[in-house]
Amino acid sequence: MPHRLWSRIAGTLVETLYPPVCLWCGAPGQAGMDLCPGCARELPLAGPACSRCARPLPATAGPLCGDCLRHPPAFDAARAALCYQWPVDTWIARFKFRGRLNHGRLLARLMARQLLPGATPPDCILPVPLHRRRLAQRGFNQAAELARPLARALQVPLVPDAVHRTRATPPQQTLAADRRRHNLRGAFSVRAGFAPGHVLLVDDVMTTGSTLNELARRLKAAGVRRVEVWVAARA
């Protein structure tokens, strides 16, 4: 039996035995997602935003925010599915720090629903890497969990080992914005010979964008021509 057919049968069996339940209110989910129709209408979806860094902007603003006009980041474009506010911030925290993979599954499906239409497929997808110490503590890389279904949907390779986090750094959320940039200098290395034309970086949250900017800078230095960023939520 073909692999895709087996996957559909397995998915149907799982949903029959464990039907989706809304993570927001506990009602039955919809369309295979852990979200009910009523709560889906209340989601803080990302609206008008800077095309370079995904920072929310007024609907009447131009395509770029002031910061990107003055100091454009190393990545070429960024998109976010959701705004980093309740309940999205709670879902992400439970996913990352409590291992609630069902929360990650919902976030990945919302990313696919919001970001895939009209997207130009990249050559490959790279999840933002964790240092091996933090990966051992957490047991999984949340960015890889979000990136995997997107790679399947776009039918492009997921390359989790192209970039390595070579230095353990303090969590970015514990630092002021100016220190975040310096915290990441020299924290990443790109695998020798890795230089596709178009790379898509995937992560859970973008705040200042320092991590993604440093990764994009290293990828560009290695020969990558275009680096795009997708995140579940933008602060």
Side-chain angles (χ1 to χ4, degrees):
M1 189 178 294
H3 175 71
R4 289 184 180 179
L5 182 56
W6 270 118
S7 297
R8 287 198 297 270
I9 292 172
T12 301
L13 181 61
V14 169
E15 288 190 11
T16 301
L17 295 175
Y18 305 100
V21 175
C22 181
L23 299 180
W24 200 339
C25 72
Q30 64 157 351
M33 288 202 300
D34 293 310
L35 193 68
C36 72
C39 289
R41 289 191 290 271
E42 300 299 320
L43 280 173
L45 300 176
C50 173
S51 62
R52 190 70 181 260
C53 74
R55 176 177 292 172
L57 291 176
T60 55
L64 297 176
C65 68
D67 283 348
C68 287
L69 286 170
R70 291 188 296 270
H71 306 289
F75 49 83
D76 300 279
R79 298 179 66 195
L82 303 153
C83 296
Y84 190 63
Q85 60 192 56
W86 191 86
V88 174
D89 53 355
T90 301
W91 293 345
I92 290 175
R94 290 173 179 170
F95 171 42
K96 288 173 67 170
F97 305 120
R98 298 186 188 178
R100 303 283 182 85
L101 296 182
N102 58 332
H103 290 63
R105 181 176 63 239
L106 174 59
L107 291 166
R109 290 183 176 179
L110 291 171
M111 289 179 73
R113 190 180 73 178
Q114 296 299 114
L115 304 180
L116 286 177
T120 300
D123 294 317
C124 62
I125 294 181
L126 274 59
V128 172
L130 291 178
H131 188 267
R132 62 182 181 276
R133 190 182 307 160
R134 190 166 296 165
L135 180 60
Q137 292 171 344
R138 191 169 295 171
F140 66 97
N141 180 352
Q142 74 277 359
E145 297 299 318
L146 297 175
R148 192 171 293 110
L150 296 174
R152 285 197 299 266
L154 287 167
Q155 298 183 330
V156 299
L158 178 69
V159 189
D161 60 349
V163 181
H164 295 277
R165 196 155 193 152
T166 56
R167 183 167 57 84
T169 56
Q172 288 289 89
Q173 64 266 29
T174 66
L175 302 174
D178 58 339
R179 290 194 60 199
R180 292 185 183 203
R181 291 186 292 272
H182 299 292
N183 182 47
L184 293 163
R185 289 289 179 182
F188 300 104
S189 67
V190 179
R191 188 178 69 203
F194 180 79
H198 180 189
V199 163
L200 175 60
L201 287 174
V202 172
D203 206 1
D204 55 343
V205 181
M206 184 194 296
T207 49
T208 64
S210 298
T211 300
L212 293 157
N213 187 61
E214 179 63 14
L215 271 169
R217 191 181 70 82
R218 295 306 300 263
L219 287 165
K220 292 284 186 75
V224 176
R225 292 191 300 276
R226 178 176 175 82
V227 178
E228 193 173 348
V229 170
W230 285 7
V231 294
R234 180 65 160 96

